[in-house]
């Protein structure tokens, strides 16, 4: 015998209503997960119980990204197809609400990155936040190491250029000293040059001759 058709209406019994809610919610989350995996679709599911407690499922890393994508889609649709002045005014209202929601989301993410207001995040959101921070730290360290390497290479180039310049200056100084010595040698009298070339003690010999003639 086949199963009878269930009439869709509110269940009056609170216990039966809660049991049905729990079962149907589990099945709904299962179906959402299946369609996200089988069809490679982005799925966001939000359920509020009659007591105000909410349950959610998302196939992406965070519910905020899917909701932001949904808001952008709705915003683009309404911007492309305005029908009258009322719709234009509504679009401005939507713009304000969209920007306000985006600003609030940015402030909330900033607080999370600073390690604040983490009590409202579940385990999956905490892991996603930790992964984002690890990725950001790796990027920052890679950029810092790159800048340090460039700085070291630049200093090494400057050091090499200074050494080469010092070598050039040292050669110029030696060349000038050699030229000055040659000029001084050329300025001596020819007799002194001859004596200086023939006798190693020419200067002493000249001095002794001069003293003998004096006496």
């Amino acid at each position: 015998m086949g199963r009878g058709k269930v009439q869709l209406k509110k269940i009056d019994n609170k216990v039966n209503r809660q049991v049905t809610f729990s079962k149907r919610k589990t099945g709904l989350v299962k179906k959402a997960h299946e369609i996200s995996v089988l069809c490679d679709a982005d799925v966001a599911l939000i359920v509020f119980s009659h007591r105000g407690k909410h349950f959610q499922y998302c196939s992406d890393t965070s519910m905020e990204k899917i909701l932001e994508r949904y808001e952008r889609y709705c915003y683009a649709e309404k911007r492309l197809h305005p029908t009258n002045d009322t719709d234009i005014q509504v679009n401005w209202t939507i713009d304000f609400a969209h920007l306000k929601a985006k600003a609030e989301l940015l402030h909330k993410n900033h607080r999370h990155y600073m390690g604040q207001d983490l009590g409202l995040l579940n385990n999956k959101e905490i892991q996603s936040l930790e992964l984002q921070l690890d990725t950001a730290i790796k990027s920052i360290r890679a950029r810092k190491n790159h800048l340090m390497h460039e700085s070291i290479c630049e200093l090494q180039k400057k050091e090499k250029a200074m050494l080469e310049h010092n070598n050039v200056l040292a050669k110029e100084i030696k060349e000038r000293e050699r030229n000055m010595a040659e000029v001084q040698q050329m300025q001596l009298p020819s007799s002194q040059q001859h004596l200086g070339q023939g006798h190693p003690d020419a200067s002493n010999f000249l001095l002794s001759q001069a003293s003998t003639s004096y006496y």
Side-chain angles (χ1 to χ4, degrees), residues 29 31-46 57-70 72-73 124:
V29 172
K31 291 295 182 182
H33 176 69
E34 289 176 353
I35 193 174
S36 68
V37 174
L38 296 175
C39 303
D40 192 23
D42 291 334
V43 180
L45 174 64
I46 302 176
Y57 167 81
C58 63
S59 57
D60 201 353
T61 55
S62 65
M63 179 67 71
E64 287 81 3
K65 291 184 178 180
I66 296 181
L67 293 178
E68 184 179 0
R69 181 179 176 185
Y70 172 76
R72 288 199 305 268
Y73 176 81
K124 185 177 180 180

Side-chain angles (χ1 to χ4, degrees), residues 29-206:
V29 172
K30 182 180 179 181
K31 291 295 182 182
H33 176 69
E34 289 176 353
I35 193 174
S36 68
V37 174
L38 296 175
C39 303
D40 192 23
D42 291 334
V43 180
L45 174 64
I46 302 176
V47 180
F48 287 93
S49 67
H50 68 284
R51 295 181 180 179
K53 188 176 181 180
H54 87 282
F55 305 88
Q56 68 180 33
Y57 167 81
C58 63
S59 57
D60 201 353
T61 55
S62 65
M63 179 67 71
E64 287 81 3
K65 291 184 178 180
I66 296 181
L67 293 178
E68 184 179 0
R69 181 179 176 185
Y70 172 76
E71 289 178 359
R72 288 199 305 268
Y73 176 81
C74 294
Y75 169 76
E77 285 291 320
K78 292 181 180 180
R79 293 285 292 180
L80 289 174
H81 304 289
T83 57
N84 49 40
D85 294 340
T86 303
D87 289 340
I88 296 175
Q89 184 65 31
V90 170
N91 287 337
W92 284 111
T93 305
I94 294 174
D95 289 344
F96 174 76
H98 176 75
L99 293 175
K100 182 179 179 181
K102 189 173 183 179
E104 291 177 353
L105 179 61
L106 291 174
H107 284 302
K108 183 178 71 174
N109 290 337
H110 180 264
R111 291 194 300 270
H112 290 166
Y113 293 145
M114 297 299 294
Q116 303 172 358
D117 299 339
L118 301 180
L120 301 177
L121 300 180
N122 56 33
N123 186 44
K124 185 177 180 180
E125 291 171 338
I126 288 290
Q127 291 178 353
S128 176
L129 178 62
E130 183 180 11
L131 179 61
Q132 293 176 15
L133 292 175
D134 288 341
T135 303
I137 291 174
K138 290 179 181 178
S139 299
I140 293 171
R141 287 176 177 171
R143 179 57 180 169
K144 182 188 71 173
N145 293 335
H146 179 70
L147 292 176
M148 292 180 63
H149 178 71
E150 287 185 344
S151 179
I152 292 173
C153 291
E154 187 67 23
L155 291 174
Q156 289 176 346
K157 290 179 180 179
K158 290 181 179 180
E159 181 183 9
K160 183 178 179 181
M162 291 177 65
L163 291 175
E164 292 177 353
H165 184 64
N166 289 339
N167 292 332
V168 172
L169 292 177
K171 290 180 180 179
E172 291 180 355
I173 292 173
K174 290 181 179 179
E175 185 68 22
R176 290 182 181 180
E177 290 178 348
R178 184 166 54 252
N179 293 336
M180 291 178 63
E182 292 177 355
V183 170
Q184 291 176 357
Q185 185 70 20
M186 292 175 62
Q187 290 177 351
L188 292 175
S190 59
S191 60
Q192 292 182 4
Q193 292 181 10
H194 178 72
L195 291 173
Q197 293 176 356
H199 196 281
D201 297 329
S203 58
N204 295 331
F205 177 76
L206 290 174

